[in-house]
Structures are given as structure tokens and as C-alpha cells.
Amino acid sequence: MPNFYLTTPIYYVNDLPHIGHIYTTVVADTLARYRRLVGDEVYFSTGTDEHGVNILKIAESKGVTPQQQADRVVSRYHDLWRQLGISHSDFIRTTEARHHRAVAEIIRRIEANGDLYLAKHEGWYCASCETFYTEREIGAARMCPVHESPTELQSEENVFFRLSKYQDRLLAWYAQSGSVEPESRRNEVRRFVESGLRDLSVSRANLAWGVPFPGHDGQTVYVWLEALTNYLSVLGFGGDDQTLFETFWQGSESTRVHMVGKDILRFHAVYWPAFLMAAGLPLPTTVYAHGWWLRDDKKISKSVGNAVRLDELLTHFGADPVRYFLLREMAFGQDASFSDEAFVDRFNSDLANDLGNTLSRLVKLSSKAFDGKTPPESCSNNSVKDTAEPAIAAYRDAMEEYAFHKALRSLWRILAEVNQYLVSKEPWKKLKEDIVDDAVSRVLWNGLEGVRLVATGLLPFMPTMAAQVLKAVGVDSENVDAGALAWGGLPLSVPLPEKRTLFPRIDKAAFLAGETKPPVSQAEKEDSNMISIDDFFKIRLEVANVLGAERIPKSRKLIKLEVEVGEERRTVVAGIAEAYEAEELIGKQVVIVTNLEPVKLMGVESQGMVLAASVDGKPVLVHPGAEVPSGTQVR
Ligand code: MSP
């Protein structure tokens, strides 16, 4: 089985994730799911880039340690990836010991190859890029070409990497198509390398928050050399178990793809392959640089307040429509603009209308004709098949070329044909007269089979909703493999589940005016971690007065509280002793879950749970904003 290794960039932890980070990760996830569908052994990694001066600065400004800052942002990434259905195999953090080991190992190899030396270094430095620029790149104004902010002249003794030595080998690599994609980006990188490479400083003096440079006290590893090595750390490079590394990086059977935004192409397509050459390691098969998302045609910048309100979209619509929009709207490789209007239009026309309506129409007709089942007769000679077969071939080609928007367009050709076919065959006419013959069976089977193929192709893009569509046409998505991407898979006479609307239309005017909360479809609700208001009300939350408090002997964390909830007295054990003294709690009001099953903790029965915010694992108790009668319900 071919081995497919796929990575996203590792994201900085100085800010919360936004649409750009989501985009690369969703693209990579779609590709990972597709490769699994067609039978590859896939290893898919993502993670966070936690060192460097920017993280130090932001942590200082917030009064936390860089590690605390990183932990906070990382937990947000974990939540978001779960919410978006990202199926990564591992999540690497550059503060992990396994990463430090891998960095030490790659440096050892580069050094053994004679490619490192010490030299004095002076240059124009952009702290946001963590990189030095030449006079030519920054122009007379000395502005960073990426951030358009001032650069600083810096001078220090550093370890240098003989990048210039690799110029010819890099050019030979770009001569192979596929090395850097799309082609326009490959040409851009080639021109940069042809213009001449200078050796690269790969250490920094006096930067406390980084990986110490082996053999050079007081120096840390240049963040890009360090960060790029994550692609090997996650595979165990430099550690005791080399299995993943050998399977997915060294192995001649492996394909290695880095998915990145165009902003970090140079690091991935010039520095990284040169580091790998120096370390005697195989190069990536492909570095793919995609374009940028703009917001309403403007560059996304949080300071201007124009970032996409992702939480809102995800809460209202669920992950899959957002995934679909991102992959359909951007011609992969180019820039695209995110607008609320475009999102609603795509949702209504592609999902609610083309997919949702076609599906529900067919399911309704088939249920009516065949007593709640799929048709009993299949058909191998018809216009839906004639359209679907080349469309599926085009879909597969597009997926191989990372042309995700084209792959989706091909699937939609099938839907268009299914609709035309139904209109021309008019199966409803016979059904109205209660005629259910083989012809009706074949027409409906063909239509449903078209939808089944579309849903199968959609599995990598919209994993939850595509599985729901498959279920709606009588197919269990659990056992779907590459064979399902061929005509003929719709089972005969199997029960169709009860009809429900998978993609309810959005009221565009109301949505754009911000008046209504668009509905989340039933299926998304079931498959996401959202709960209904009724679910929420199952939890009884009440205000309690703390009458007594004492530490539980021999326990580091536990305090026993005697509380009054309305008329009732209860004993509640809380894990707050590391943050609170027992005495200071007496007389306070807290909020308690009063309908939890009792549990025994260190021999004491706890009849409830005290609510506390968890700040880096430390509890901070929740109190009502003003004194209220005990037993007051919280909702
Ligand atoms: N930490 C480095 C990458 C190190 S990889 C060894 C970094 N991190 S980042 O948090 O700034 O993420 C950059 C990546 O996020 C881009 O390469 C791109 O994949 C994605 N995007 C950030 N903003 C984006 C848009 N507006 N549009 C699309 N993707 C963009 O750079």
C-alpha cells in the first residue's frame, strides 16, 4: 500500500486561529481523507510553532509565561480541529522533547557534512518574519516586504549554514515538475535562487525562548530551521523508534507533501530542501503553496477587525458547509475573497438546492413507489451513467492535481445531469397514476445512484454531511472504499431512512442583516458536539452558600465544603485546595451542579460539583455577580 505523508504548517501561538489557518488545515484534511479513501496508508500531521521572539513578547504583554501562552492557544487549536472534523494522525508542539531531539539530530548531520561555520553577522531583521532581509528587499524605507513594518539593523556572531553551496542542486530539483507547485510558484522560487543564494544565519544570540544550539552556549537555533524540522520530529526522527520516519520519510514508497500558504514558500522550497540535502535526507515530493484568503476583497487583518467570524459560522451552519465553501470558492493556488454573501449563495444554490433538493426529491419518490425502500431494478445504460463516469474520472484527476474546486465542479455535473434526467423522464407522472413498473425503478435507481456517487466523492470534503447523504440513499458510509467511486453501487430494495432536510435554506436577507440565526440541520446537530436547550436544562445549576470548609487530610487538591442550597444542606468535595485556603471560602456564594450522581472522593461523599473556570489547570471559582438567595437557579 503506498504511504502518503501530509503536513500543514505548524501555526504560531501568538494569536488565536483564524480562517487562514483553518483553510490550510481543511485542505490538508480533505486530501488526507481522499488518499485514505483510495487506499493509501496516510500519516497526516499538524501542530504549533511555539518558540521565538514574538511569542515571548505577547506572553510578556499578557503577564504569562510563554509556555502558558502556548498552552492556551494550543487548547483552542485542539477544540477547533475537533469541531472541524480534522483527522490528523498527530499534533506536534515545538516545545516537546521529541522535537528538541530531532532538531539536535538534524544539526548533528548538517554539521557532520561540513555545512556549518561561525561568523559575524549584520543584517536587517524583521521580528515578525523572524528573518533577515537584504538592502534590496527592504528598499530605501527599510520596510519588511511582507509586513510593511520597519526592520532593525542587528549585528551578532552566529552559526551559518552553507546555503550557497546548494544553489545548483536546488535548481536541479525545481527542474522536476511536482517539486514545487503550482508551476507559477515554482518559477518564482527558481528566479529567487537563480538570483544568487547567500549563506544563512541559523542561530540567534540572546534569545531565551528557543532550542539551545548544540555546542554553542548562549545561542538558540534559528526558528525556521527549528520549526521546519517538526516535519521529521513528528515521525520520531532522532528518537528511539524510527518506524514512522522510515515508513513515511525515508521509504522509497512514500509520498511526502507539505501544504503551505504562499507566504512561507521560500522557507519550504529553498531552505528546507537545502537543510535536508545537507543532512543527507530525502526531499519532500511536493511543496504546494496555496493562495490567500481576503475578507471582502481586503487583506485579512485582525487589527482592522475584518476577520471572518468563524465561531458564528461554525455554530450556525456546522463544520461541513464551511469546509465546502472554503474548498469550492477558492481556485486552489490562487487568492480568493471570503464574503458572507458568497457563503450564503453557495450554501443555498449548491447545498440546499442542487444537492439537498435532488436528494429529497429522489428519496421521496422512491419511498413512495417502493414502500420506503430503494428501487428493486438497477440499470447500466443511461445518460446519468454516461455523465457520471467521465465526471468521476475528472474528479479523481483533479484530486491528484490538488485542484479541489475542479473536483467539486465535476461532482456537480452529475447532479445537474440527474436533475435534467428526472425532468425528461418525469417518473412522478406514472407514480401519480399508481403505476410502478421496471422503468420507474430504473429511472429512480439511476438518479439515486448519481447522488450516491456525488456523496462518495464528497466524503473527503464534508465527512459528516456526505455520510448523512449516503445514509439517506441507503448506504452505510463506514465501509466505503475506492471501489465505491464507480457506477453501480446503490443497493437494491434496502430501507430508506425517514426523510429529513439535510441542508435547510438560509434566509439570505435576514442573515446578512444579522437578524436571524440560520438553522443548523438536524444531521449536523446530531454529529456535532452541540446540545439542544433541552439538553442544557437537564443540568441543574444552583447558587449555594458555603457554611463550612476544611481540607481533606492527605489530599493535595481536595476541600470538603458544607453548603446550603435553599433549605437543603449538602457536602460537596471540590478540587480547589491548590488555589484556595479553606477558611477564605466560608461565607462565599458558589454555583453548584445539584443533580450529579454522588461520588466518593477520598472517602467523602460529594453531593454536587462546584463550578470553577480552569486557567491553565488552576481553578478560579464562579460566584454570582451580586448576592442572591441560596438555591437560586443558574441558567
Ligand atoms: N509558524 C510558521 C510556519 C512554520 S511551518 C514549519 C507560520 N505560522 S502562521 O501561524 O503564521 O501560519 C501561517 C500559515 O497559515 C500560512 O502559511 C497559511 O498556510 C495560513 N494562512 C494564514 N493566513 C492566511 C490567509 N489569509 N489565507 C490563507 N491562508 C493563510 O507561518
Side-chain angles (χ1 to χ4, degrees):
M1 200 193 298
N3 298 320
F4 197 92
Y5 179 43
L6 176 63
T7 67
T8 74
I10 46 170
Y11 302 109
Y12 288 132
V13 290
N14 46 358
D15 226 324
L16 294 175
H18 66 66
I19 189 86
H21 312 123
I22 286 184
Y23 178 65
T24 315
T25 315
V26 163
V27 165
D29 184 65
T30 302
L31 186 55
R33 288 174 182 273
Y34 176 74
R35 302 292 347 162
R36 287 189 205 112
L37 180 67
V38 298
D40 286 2
E41 185 70 39
V42 174
Y43 204 81
F44 167 27
S45 90
T46 187
T48 41
D49 189 352
E50 305 188 3
H51 289 126
V53 73
N54 291 318
I55 285 119
L56 208 55
K57 273 190 196 155
I58 193 91
E60 264 165 26
S61 75
K62 290 189 182 167
V64 296
T65 64
Q67 189 67 60
Q68 283 169 331
Q69 163 71 16
D71 291 349
R72 272 183 205 178
V73 175
V74 165
S75 82
R76 181 72 188 110
Y77 269 106
H78 281 306
D79 289 348
L80 195 57
W81 293 165
R82 203 173 307 121
Q83 209 178 351
L84 279 160
I86 305 300
S87 61
H88 49 294
S89 319
D90 203 347
F91 187 104
I92 179 86
R93 300 182 58 175
T94 56
T95 45
E96 290 177 70
R98 58 177 173 155
H99 177 65
H100 289 221
R101 277 196 296 274
V103 173
E105 177 60 15
I106 199 167
I107 289 176
R108 193 189 63 71
R109 291 187 184 215
I110 297 174
E111 181 136 50
N113 204 39
D115 284 334
L116 298 181
Y117 62 93
L118 262 180
K120 185 145 168 70
H121 177 228
E122 189 172 86
W124 297 95
Y125 190 69
C126 169
S128 301
C129 301
E130 308 261 16
T131 200
F132 284 97
Y133 285 100
T134 61
E135 299 259 348
R136 189 160 53 95
E137 285 168 322
I138 57 175
R142 313 238 186 274
M143 291 296 202
C144 163
V146 176
H147 292 91
E148 290 161 14
S149 55
T151 55
E152 282 170 30
L153 188 64
Q154 284 195 2
S155 166
E156 57 187 45
E157 172 140 280
N158 290 146
V159 181
F160 274 74
F161 169 66
R162 292 186 205 283
L163 180 61
S164 55
K165 178 174 151 187
Y166 291 95
Q167 181 155 342
D168 291 344
R169 284 179 63 188
L170 285 169
L171 290 172
W173 187 51
Y174 308 141
Q176 297 170 25
S177 80
S179 53
V180 179
E181 290 290 335
E183 197 184 351
S184 56
R185 298 279 167 217
R186 186 160 71 246
N187 292 334
E188 189 183 302
V189 174
R190 181 192 290 125
R191 280 194 298 274
F192 170 75
V193 173
E194 277 169 352
S195 74
L197 287 179
R198 292 175 314 138
D199 289 352
L200 182 72
S201 147
V202 289
S203 76
R204 294 283 174 270
N206 310 318
L207 175 63
W209 187 238
V211 176
F213 204 104
H216 295 275
D217 279 355
Q219 302 260 349
T220 48
V221 180
Y222 169 48
V223 281
W224 274 100
L225 167 55
E226 193 234 285
L228 288 158
T229 306
N230 90 85
Y231 301 134
L232 305 181
S233 335
V234 72
L235 298 177
F237 178 68
D240 296 335
D241 184 353
Q242 298 285 296
T243 321
L244 285 174
F245 173 68
E246 272 156 20
T247 311
F248 290 99
W249 197 274
Q250 290 275 65
S252 55
E253 284 293 281
S254 81
T255 303
R256 304 166 291 278
V257 177
H258 298 308
M259 199 57 81
V260 299
K262 63 180 183 180
D263 52 323
I264 54 174
L265 179 62
R266 184 184 300 177
F267 303 103
H268 284 81
V270 182
Y271 299 172
W272 180 230
F275 295 146
L276 289 166
M277 287 171 188
L281 293 168
L283 304 192
T285 315
T286 299
V287 172
Y288 199 110
H290 64 68
W292 268 56
W293 277 101
L294 308 173
R295 170 66 164 159
D296 298 323
D297 294 319
K298 291 192 202 73
K299 202 172 164 185
I300 290 183
S301 123
K302 269 170 258 95
S303 51
V304 185
N306 65 347
V308 178
R309 296 178 313 277
L310 265 177
D311 289 342
E312 224 169 285
L313 291 179
L314 291 174
T315 313
H316 293 167
F317 302 104
D320 280 3
V322 175
R323 290 175 62 118
Y324 174 79
F325 178 79
L326 292 176
L327 283 147
R328 179 63 187 84
E329 190 74 4
M330 184 179 269
F332 196 60
Q334 293 165 27
D335 290 349
S337 184
F338 196 112
S339 79
D340 294 347
E341 185 162 11
F343 179 83
V344 177
D345 285 347
R346 277 242 173 260
F347 184 98
N348 281 346
S349 88
D350 297 7
L351 299 179
N353 191 45
D354 297 345
L355 180 57
N357 285 350
T358 311
L359 169 74
S360 65
R361 189 182 211 182
L362 279 161
V363 168
K364 205 158 115 194
L365 291 170
S366 186
S367 287
K368 184 169 171 211
F370 306 110
D371 200 17
K373 296 202 171 113
T374 56
E377 285 290 320
S378 65
C379 174
S380 60
N381 195 0
N382 60 85
S383 69
V384 179
K385 183 181 178 215
D386 293 345
T387 300
E389 287 188 328
I392 288 292
Y395 160 89
R396 293 188 75 146
D397 288 347
M399 293 303 279
E400 295 292 330
E401 292 165 18
Y402 312 107
F404 304 102
H405 61 296
K406 283 194 192 154
L408 289 169
R409 250 183 359 225
S410 302
L411 297 180
W412 256 250
R413 281 214 299 277
I414 304 176
L415 286 175
E417 175 56 32
V418 167
N419 275 312
Q420 265 178 19
Y421 176 77
L422 287 178
V423 169
S424 71
K425 299 287 179 190
E426 301 179 306
W428 42 86
K429 279 201 172 154
K430 279 190 186 168
L431 287 181
K432 242 192 200 145
E433 293 162 28
D434 282 334
I435 304 170
V436 181
D437 55 12
D438 284 359
V440 169
S441 175
R442 280 196 291 270
V443 167
L444 294 181
W445 189 89
N446 289 334
L448 285 165
E449 171 61 1
V451 171
R452 184 197 66 81
L453 275 174
V454 171
T456 307
L458 276 178
L459 276 169
F461 292 84
M462 301 202 290
T464 305
M465 297 309 295
Q468 294 291 338
V469 175
L470 284 174
K471 196 166 153 198
V473 299
V475 175
D476 176 5
S477 62
E478 287 295 306
N479 306 316
V480 167
D481 58 19
L485 282 169
W487 183 263
L490 189 84
L492 302 175
S493 299
V494 296
L496 288 163
E498 256 177 47
K499 182 186 162 296
R500 60 180 185 189
T501 310
L502 293 180
F503 301 101
R505 261 187 101 71
I506 302 170
D507 179 340
K508 180 172 169 182
F511 177 64
L512 294 182
E515 283 164 10
T516 52
K517 303 227 176 297
V520 171
S521 77
Q522 188 58 30
E524 275 280 309
K525 251 191 223 162
E526 280 171 18
D527 288 288
S528 77
N529 45 15
M530 267 185 277
I531 59 169
S532 70
I533 191 78
D534 294 335
D535 291 336
F536 173 75
F537 281 124
K538 285 187 195 146
I539 304 172
R540 212 168 62 223
L541 296 167
E542 289 171 88
V543 174
N545 291 335
V546 180
L547 305 178
E550 61 187 55
R551 282 190 74 127
I552 296 189
K554 297 213 190 90
S555 165
R556 232 169 3 102
K557 290 201 172 163
L558 300 182
I559 290 184
K560 181 172 110 179
L561 301 174
E562 292 301 329
V563 299
E564 172 199 75
V565 190
E567 303 291 287
E568 205 187 331
R569 287 278 184 98
R570 288 186 183 221
T571 303
V572 176
V573 178
I576 54 175
E578 286 177 321
Y580 292 90
E581 294 298 329
E583 303 76 62
E584 67 179 305
L585 300 169
I586 298 171
K588 292 260 162 65
Q589 290 203 308
V590 290
V591 179
I592 287 191
V593 184
T594 48
N595 61 342
L596 265 190
E597 281 175 15
V599 281
K600 262 208 168 149
L601 296 166
M602 302 285 283
V604 181
E605 185 177 274
S606 179
Q607 300 152 335
M609 186 175 92
V610 180
L611 293 197
S614 172
V615 182
D616 298 324
K618 263 192 138 189
V620 177
L621 285 173
V622 172
H623 305 293
E627 180 143 354
V628 296
S630 88
T632 305
Q633 221 198 330
V634 177
R635 44 197 290 192

